[in-house]
Amino acid sequence: PLINTLEEAGYEAYFVGGSVRDVLLKRRIHDVDIATSAYPEEVKAIFEKTVDIGIEHGTVLVLAEDSQYEITTFRTEDVYVDYRRPSGVTFVRCLEEDLLRRDFTINAFALAEDGQIIDKFDGLTDLENKLIRAVGVADERFNEDALRIMRALRFSASLDFDIEEKTFEAMKVHAPLLEKISIERSFIELDKLLTSDYWRKGLRNFIDSKAYNHLTGLVGKEAQLENVLKNIKSDYFWFTTSEQAWAYLLINLEVENCKDFLKKWNVSNEFTKKVTNIYEAYKIALERVWEVKDLYKYGFDAFMYAEGLLEAEERDIDTSLLPQLTMKLPIKSKSELNINGQVLMNHFNRKGGIWIGQIISEVEELVVNGQLENNQDAILEYVE
Ligand code: CTP
């Protein structure tokens, strides 16, 4: 309806950005961005309730139908400064010019109210081939904004996309620019990468791009980063929380002091505390992992065991039972299931420990028979 309203007032308006990409990929969408030929003052004159959230960039927040939408005027960007931001923007009436400034072809679609897709850079072909490709000249895109290097890596992890060759080469060339932008922004992208479904692919690309060599604390840590991948034997392992991902990363990076490391990355004290707790539990679990060595063979590694320890502690469960319990699991086949320590402990708690083996057998049978998808969400939904 907002697009209609803008059109009725004589302007052009489209959905743009990541939400169009996600609609085309049938993924869940979060923020909906609208781009329009109307200038900010004109947008404000059309809608009753608006908030200026970045009017100098052309963005007005419109409150309508119990929701809020960012409406941004078509714009081109002036010269970039700091390898991160343009020195200013120029509002334009033409959609095409707006799409030209965007980072990747899959992020440069516009979707009209009637469902028509405007695809200036052959993004639909890239979507089909699962490729991340820079719009126009890749070197220019990364030179304008170095964070895009981290964004490309993160999208490869969240979408299971490869990075197109020329784009990847340009990322390698411009990786040193990451040193010039704030570490907090790189943290956010790396964090999203690690907690994505295809984090292995993202991390592989992160290592291969050598981007890590330009981030504090990761310089020269190629072998350690490789260990992050090697030490998790199951292909079906996801980090359930950011804290878990970072604890695992820091263990593998052989970081002695989590606090010092995370301080350099400007993360909050609360986050640091949580990461440190998991890190410590993991160390204990590594010492005790021989007790669950049979499970270890099947891909349940010490990290999951550590999660169990933490969960048990939180719920005041006697942890001395954990090894015995985990040993009882009747894993007969080698099919690896997406069940992590947390799920294990949830059921240990709920059912007194006796039924976990049965639940796992049941889930395993369904997966083997193709009646249940072998992914974390599906299994969790079934088990819950
Ligand atoms: N964009 C860009 N360069 C950036 C950041 C954003 O060109 N460094 C453009 C892209 O067209 C992007 C849009 O702005 O799609 C919106 O950016 P943002 O909301 O940060 O990311 P999304 O692509 O929407 O991805 P997601 O919301 O899934 O993180």
Side-chain angles (χ1 to χ4, degrees), residues 16-19 21-22 30-31 33 80 84 101-104 106-108 145 147-148 151 154-155 192:
V16 289
S19 62
R21 173 200 69 221
D22 290 341
H30 36 116
D31 327 309
D33 293 324
Y80 273 71
R84 180 75 196 97
R101 70 172 171 88
R102 295 176 182 269
D103 53 3
F104 306 113
I106 57 164
N107 287 345
D145 180 356
L147 189 68
R148 287 171 172 163
R151 281 171 59 86
R154 183 254 291 191
F155 287 127
K192 285 185 185 170

Side-chain angles (χ1 to χ4, degrees), residues 169-340:
E169 287 311 310
M171 285 164 63
K172 286 189 199 162
V173 171
H174 290 86
L177 295 179
L178 287 169
E179 293 168 31
K180 306 209 182 265
I181 66 171
S182 81
I183 194 82
E184 292 97 308
R185 299 306 301 256
S186 292
F187 169 84
I188 293 170
E189 297 300 331
L190 192 53
D191 185 63
K192 285 185 185 170
L193 183 159
L194 291 172
T195 48
S196 288
D197 282 356
Y198 304 94
W199 67 274
R200 284 163 181 276
K201 175 173 260 173
L203 196 59
R204 182 77 263 146
N205 285 329
F206 180 58
I207 298 170
D208 294 346
S209 69
K210 307 256 188 273
Y212 66 89
N213 259 333
H214 305 284
L215 298 172
T216 313
L218 304 183
V219 181
K221 295 267 191 184
E222 175 147 11
Q224 288 85 342
L225 284 165
E226 289 285 356
N227 281 339
V228 177
L229 291 167
K230 268 193 220 139
N231 288 340
I232 288 184
K233 294 186 177 55
S234 168
D235 280 340
Y236 302 104
F237 181 86
W238 288 273
F239 297 109
T240 21
T241 62
S242 299
E243 289 88 350
Q244 190 198 50
W246 283 85
Y248 192 72
L249 188 69
L250 298 194
I251 285 274
N252 280 283
L253 290 175
E254 296 159 21
V255 163
E256 285 295 321
N257 188 325
C258 297
K259 213 172 150 185
D260 287 352
F261 182 96
L262 293 169
K263 210 175 180 174
K264 283 188 220 152
W265 283 61
N266 291 345
V267 300
S268 73
N269 289 341
E270 196 193 341
F271 183 82
T272 302
K273 214 163 125 187
K274 282 189 192 157
V275 171
T276 309
N277 282 344
I278 301 173
Y279 175 100
E280 297 300 339
Y282 184 74
K283 280 205 155 161
I284 296 170
L286 275 179
E287 284 158 20
R288 293 181 61 180
V289 79
W290 58 272
E291 294 176 77
V292 284
K293 58 183 181 305
D294 279 0
L295 280 170
Y296 193 62
K297 262 198 319 215
Y298 292 102
F300 284 82
D301 75 355
F303 195 63
M304 300 186 192
Y305 181 65
E307 270 215 323
L309 281 179
L310 281 180
E311 183 96 13
E313 204 172 278
E314 219 166 80
R315 292 164 187 241
D316 212 10
I317 296 168
D318 180 3
T319 52
S320 63
L321 283 172
L322 189 62
Q324 286 165 28
L325 172 85
T326 41
M327 291 293 269
K328 270 195 204 153
L329 299 176
I331 302 178
K332 289 175 240 85
S333 80
K334 277 219 160 180
S335 78
E336 291 166 296
L337 298 175
N338 293 321
I339 296 182
N340 62 27

